[in-house]
Amino acid sequence: LSQAMTMPVRALAGQPISVLEAGAGTGAVTRALIAELPAGSRLDVIEANPRLAAKLNRIADAQPVENAQIRVHRTRIEGHQADEPYDVIASCLPLSNFPPQQVEAIMQRYLTMLHPGGVLIYFSYLGMRWARALVASREATRRHRAVDQLLAGFQGQYGIQSRRVWVNMPPAAVRQLRRPLQLSAEPQHLSVS
């Protein structure tokens, strides 16, 4: 999964780029991003949990990249103030755990934080909706379904690639979106109730 999440970074190899990783957690994707980061690049890592942010700082310090700037920010994505737009955003946030309105705000924020033509990559675990439906309340099931529909709308409007990573446990779907040259004022996919 970590290798799949670095696809957009590898596609831009050979030139300095700016990358944001949101919801870095224990750093599995962070390590993969650092390994693929071209010299002279910038990587901003977002993690709200103070214990995990401290671990991510140790990972960043232990794996220097030539002339690269790697910064760990202990905040939520909603509170992150970017110095400049990003070429790639890798989202590791568990979006299906959030209310639809928050997912919509996060996805819109990602798109506005990208350079025009920049790529957002995110993943979701396969089969989790059905597994959650077995134990979740009706309200939680409706929320999960609404988030799935919302993300499908973003994928329909901005999606450029989707692939499945079967060798991950649990298997995951990895999706890439591209920011258009100009964002429309009114998103066309937000009719979720």
Side-chain angles (χ1 to χ4, degrees):
L1 180 58
S2 294
Q3 287 302 307
M5 291 293 290
T6 62
M7 287 185 301
V9 172
R10 284 194 303 279
L12 296 171
Q15 60 186 0
I17 60 173
S18 58
V19 180
L20 171 70
E21 180 189 7
T26 60
V29 173
T30 308
R31 284 185 192 87
L33 286 169
I34 291 171
E36 298 291 345
L37 207 59
S41 295
R42 173 175 64 112
L43 172 61
D44 286 333
V45 180
I46 306 293
E47 177 52 56
N49 181 303
R51 186 176 49 80
L52 294 175
K55 180 178 181 174
L56 292 163
N57 270 314
R58 290 190 297 274
I59 291 169
D61 291 344
Q63 300 181 4
V65 178
E66 183 181 338
N67 299 321
Q69 181 180 21
I70 302 172
R71 297 180 298 187
V72 176
H73 306 270
R74 200 185 102 210
T75 187
R76 295 167 50 134
I77 189 63
E78 296 91 339
H80 177 62
Q81 298 300 317
D83 297 335
E84 58 187 61
Y86 295 99
D87 298 302
V88 175
I89 296 176
S91 177
C92 300
L93 291 173
L95 295 171
S96 63
N97 292 346
F98 301 144
Q101 299 81 3
Q102 187 177 8
V103 173
E104 177 184 343
I106 290 169
M107 294 298 283
Q108 288 295 340
R109 178 125 173 86
Y110 285 156
L111 289 171
T112 60
M113 293 172 77
L114 283 168
H115 281 292
V119 173
L120 164 64
I121 189 163
Y122 68 98
F123 69 92
S124 59
Y125 293 118
L126 296 172
M128 295 309 286
R129 180 172 34 143
W130 295 281
R132 281 190 302 255
L134 295 175
V135 295
S137 67
R138 282 188 175 160
E139 181 181 325
T141 300
R142 279 193 297 273
R143 180 177 54 79
H144 293 140
R145 189 176 301 122
V147 169
D148 287 347
Q149 290 171 350
L150 181 77
L151 291 173
F154 275 96
Q155 186 68 26
Q157 189 169 357
Y158 304 109
I160 57 171
Q161 186 177 23
S162 182
R163 68 179 278 210
R164 294 172 191 252
V165 180
W166 295 107
V167 295
N168 195 67
M169 189 53 68
V174 178
R175 295 179 174 87
Q176 289 187 48
L177 309 180
R178 183 176 312 281
R179 179 187 165 162
L181 297 180
Q182 200 160 9
L183 285 173
S184 62
E186 277 298 315
Q188 301 169 4
H189 54 283
L190 305 177
S191 60
V192 177
S193 54

